[in-house]
Amino acid sequence: MLAFYGGSFYMSTRISRKRENADGYMTGGGKIGFGISAASMTATWIWASSMYASATSGYQFGISGPIHYGLWGALMILLIYPFGRRIRKVAPRAHTIAEVMFARHGRSSQLMLAGSNVLGSVISLTSNLIAGGALISLLSPFTFTQGILAIGAGVLLYTLWSGFRASVLTDFAQVIAMLGAVVIIVPVVFFAAGGPGLFEAGADNLTPEQGNFFSSKAFFEQGAPYIAAVLAYAIGNQTIAQRLFAVREDLIKKTFVTATVGYGATIIGVGMLGVIALYAGIEPLGGDVNNLIPQMAATYLGPVLICVFFVMIIGSLSSTADSDLTALSSIMMADVYGQNVAGKRNANPKVMLFVGRVTMVVAVVAALGFASIQFSILDLLVFVGALWGALVFPVISSFYWKRVTNVAFTVSVLVALVAFIPVRFEWIPMTGAIAITSDVLSTVGVGVVLGLMAFGFLGRRAGLIIGTVATLASAPFAIGFLHQYSVLSGSLIAYAVSTIVCVAITMFNTSKSFDFSLIKVRTGDFDPAHEEQETKEGVTR
């Protein structure tokens, strides 16, 4: 760990500047090239929690589990590309999606998006500390608490001074080490556990559902919720948006396609460790599935390969944890201080840098406190995805539909959350009319998800046709059935309710039409040289 974090700290000192720039601290100035961007995008998306969750899926659902997890996770990255090009076109110099929502709608929309991202990033940071603490407590004499303290301090050490620039450059080195380790570790564990003969010898350890590649249980409890979460993570996650604003605009497609392939192959491969554990009849230590991957390493790897494995996990969790810190600092710098406390014209870049660094320290302390509670990583990921689902249609429509207003955005998200939370946490009995209503809304949610995906790649007409056909085709099967799956129903209801309410309110607006070119004027750099230029442009308009 000393070598890993010491090396990362050395890299950050090599790129540090005597006078750090607020815009560089948040997005690297929007000029990051292909290699660094693709590696950073891959490293950020391949976090330790993804590896642990994919292995958990393999252990719970058999071989179809990691495929459901990795395939739909990869699709999340790919889906950012078409919407990302539109976002960069209307806001080429922005730092956060919430900042763009402030320019598009106003304060309430901005703070809702910023608040959800703060929650999501803190949960992500917490889950990475949990993953690292579990690893260290299993493979070393140190305790879980000592492990999370060491990782929190290590990530903070190399990220604090240079922010986003340190994050993306250390990501490049981390992803090389991480992918190399995956290529070695998984095959070695597979052959040490018995090789191809394991699938025959361990077949009795599987239930009929776990042995079925087309298991309906695996689809409805794992695959379908992740399909529903695809758009939510693509649109709601600031760590991804930050890289979207950082990469050169002409390299967006190449970057995101490359990251899609890298993520899918890696996560599905690591998930096979859970499948191997299932066939080998291994019980998770202490009944905690978060221990599964470290346990497999301790069982089947020698000392040298355990060190390689350690690099793989520490690299994956650190690359995401530093992304969470830079995402949180950007939100506090641009959205809280820059837009709401000082105002864009009066924002002081030096104060912004101070705010960003204090945010990182506070975030690490908060995540350490939450990590000591040791939530289930898989549950955390699903909850955040569904939460962001309420924001997807209002955010996307705000970039394409001139009539969407701040009221439509705000009310639709709040109503969707009110409908989503009781279903997700099973606070109300799903019987009678409530169950039917839930199923009808979930069916509409299926159409919304598939329609938006089609819209991103094929345009409005294709989106409307596919969304309508998907809703009608799934209705006979979904109504009377979907309410049995609370995670999936909650996510779909969030999509459906926010879409219905947003469209309904927007349709009443027949007089207001937004000029998208104003977003470019209202967002931009905070540093003095660029600020002057922005001011001149605003006066001219």
Side-chain angles (χ1 to χ4, degrees):
M1 285 187 67
L2 286 174
F4 181 87
Y5 287 122
S8 298
F9 177 65
Y10 175 76
M11 288 182 64
S12 71
T13 60
R14 299 294 296 174
I15 61 168
S16 65
R17 296 173 179 171
K18 291 182 179 180
R19 291 189 60 190
E20 282 293 338
N21 176 299
D23 297 304
Y25 197 86
M26 290 188 280
T27 60
K31 299 176 181 176
I32 304 291
F34 166 68
I36 297 292
S37 297
S40 180
M41 186 72 214
T42 306
T44 298
W45 214 243
I46 300 175
W47 47 339
S49 300
S50 292
M51 291 185 172
Y52 281 37
S54 183
T56 300
S57 297
Y59 189 78
Q60 291 179 340
F61 304 114
I63 199 166
S64 61
I67 294 175
H68 280 306
Y69 189 94
L71 190 62
W72 306 127
L75 185 60
M76 291 179 194
I77 305 174
L78 191 63
L79 274 171
I80 302 168
Y81 150 63
F83 298 114
R85 291 187 66 182
R86 172 64 179 171
I87 293 170
R88 279 296 296 270
K89 182 179 180 181
V90 300
R93 304 293 297 173
H95 308 85
T96 70
I97 297 288
E99 180 189 2
V100 181
M101 284 299 103
F102 180 82
R104 171 68 175 86
H105 290 306
R107 187 161 288 117
S108 61
S109 302
Q110 177 199 30
L111 293 181
M112 292 178 77
L113 200 56
S116 70
N117 270 294
V118 168
L119 178 62
S121 290
V122 171
I123 288 177
S124 170
L125 186 58
T126 300
S127 68
N128 278 291
L129 293 180
I130 292 174
L135 175 72
I136 290 173
S137 65
L138 277 175
L139 300 182
S140 76
F142 297 105
T143 65
F144 174 84
T145 302
Q146 291 169 332
I148 61 175
L149 283 171
I151 291 171
V155 173
L156 192 60
L157 177 70
Y158 71 81
T159 312
L160 188 64
W161 181 253
S162 296
F164 183 78
R165 291 191 300 110
S167 174
V168 293
L169 288 179
T170 53
D171 280 349
F172 184 80
Q174 289 163 358
V175 80
I176 297 299
M178 193 166 55
L179 296 181
V182 170
V183 170
I184 297 171
I185 295 295
V186 176
V188 169
V189 170
F190 174 65
F191 284 104
L198 178 67
F199 292 119
E200 184 177 351
D204 292 339
N205 295 324
L206 277 66
T207 65
E209 286 287 346
Q210 290 171 329
N212 181 8
F213 183 78
F214 300 101
S215 165
S216 60
K217 182 179 180 180
F219 178 75
F220 284 109
E221 293 187 8
Q222 176 68 66
Y226 272 82
I227 295 174
V230 161
L231 279 169
Y233 272 89
I235 299 301
N237 194 327
Q238 169 59 19
T239 62
I240 305 305
Q242 200 166 12
R243 279 149 184 78
L244 171 66
F245 290 122
V247 65
R248 266 176 39 198
E249 195 169 348
D250 59 315
L251 299 176
I252 290 176
K253 179 179 180 180
K254 187 191 295 187
T255 296
F256 282 82
V257 170
T258 302
T260 297
V261 175
Y263 171 87
T266 304
I267 290 302
I268 291 173
V270 172
M272 292 304 156
L273 292 176
V275 178
I276 295 170
L278 177 64
Y279 274 90
I282 292 175
E283 293 291 331
L285 195 63
D288 185 354
V289 290
N290 293 339
N291 292 330
L292 202 55
I293 287 186
Q295 191 178 344
M296 292 294 286
T299 303
Y300 293 111
L301 300 180
V304 174
L305 286 181
I306 282 185
C307 291
V308 176
F309 166 81
F310 197 79
V311 169
M312 178 182 82
I313 299 298
I314 295 296
S316 64
L317 67 88
S318 298
S319 63
T320 308
D322 63 40
S323 300
D324 290 323
L325 289 180
T326 56
L328 285 165
S329 65
S330 294
I331 290 170
M332 296 304 292
M333 291 167 70
D335 296 310
V336 177
Y337 171 77
Q339 297 284 12
N340 287 284
V341 175
K344 189 172 185 305
R345 295 189 179 201
N346 299 318
N348 184 332
K350 291 183 179 178
V351 177
M352 293 185 75
L353 286 169
F354 177 75
V355 169
R357 288 169 180 147
V358 170
T359 299
M360 288 189 183
V361 175
V362 172
V364 169
V365 172
L368 288 172
F370 294 134
S372 63
I373 302 174
Q374 298 191 44
F375 298 104
S376 164
I377 291 173
L378 194 56
D379 287 346
L380 289 176
L381 296 178
V382 173
F383 172 72
V384 173
L387 187 63
W388 279 330
L391 287 157
V392 169
F393 184 84
V395 169
I396 291 178
S397 62
S398 296
F399 283 101
Y400 295 89
W401 196 1
K402 295 181 178 179
R403 290 166 59 186
V404 177
T405 63
N406 190 39
V407 172
F409 185 108
T410 306
V411 173
S412 63
V413 173
L414 291 177
V415 173
L417 290 178
V418 169
F420 149 69
I421 291 175
V423 175
R424 170 62 185 86
F425 293 104
E426 302 179 15
W427 289 349
I428 52 177
M430 280 294 170
T431 57
I434 295 177
I436 297 300
T437 303
S438 171
D439 288 346
V440 170
L441 289 173
S442 297
T443 305
V444 174
V446 171
V448 170
V449 171
L450 297 180
L452 285 174
M453 288 181 183
F455 169 70
F457 289 104
L458 304 174
R460 185 177 63 177
R461 178 174 295 181
L464 288 171
I465 292 173
I466 291 176
T468 303
V469 170
T471 301
L472 296 175
S474 61
F477 309 99
I479 296 175
F481 172 74
L482 276 182
H483 63 271
Q484 301 173 62
Y485 298 92
S486 60
V487 174
L488 176 59
S489 294
S491 300
L492 292 173
I493 287 173
Y495 279 102
V497 172
S498 62
T499 301
I500 292 170
V501 175
C502 188
V503 170
I505 296 177
T506 301
M507 293 303 290
F508 281 102
N509 172 32
T510 57
S511 59
K512 296 180 181 177
S513 180
F514 183 77
D515 178 2
F516 285 112
S517 65
L518 289 175
I519 293 178
K520 183 178 180 181
V521 177
R522 294 172 178 173
T523 58
D525 296 319
F526 285 92
D527 290 289
H530 296 285
E531 185 181 7
E532 183 179 350
Q533 182 179 351
E534 294 286 325
T535 304
K536 290 178 179 177
E537 290 178 3
V539 171
T540 301
R541 291 192 65 80

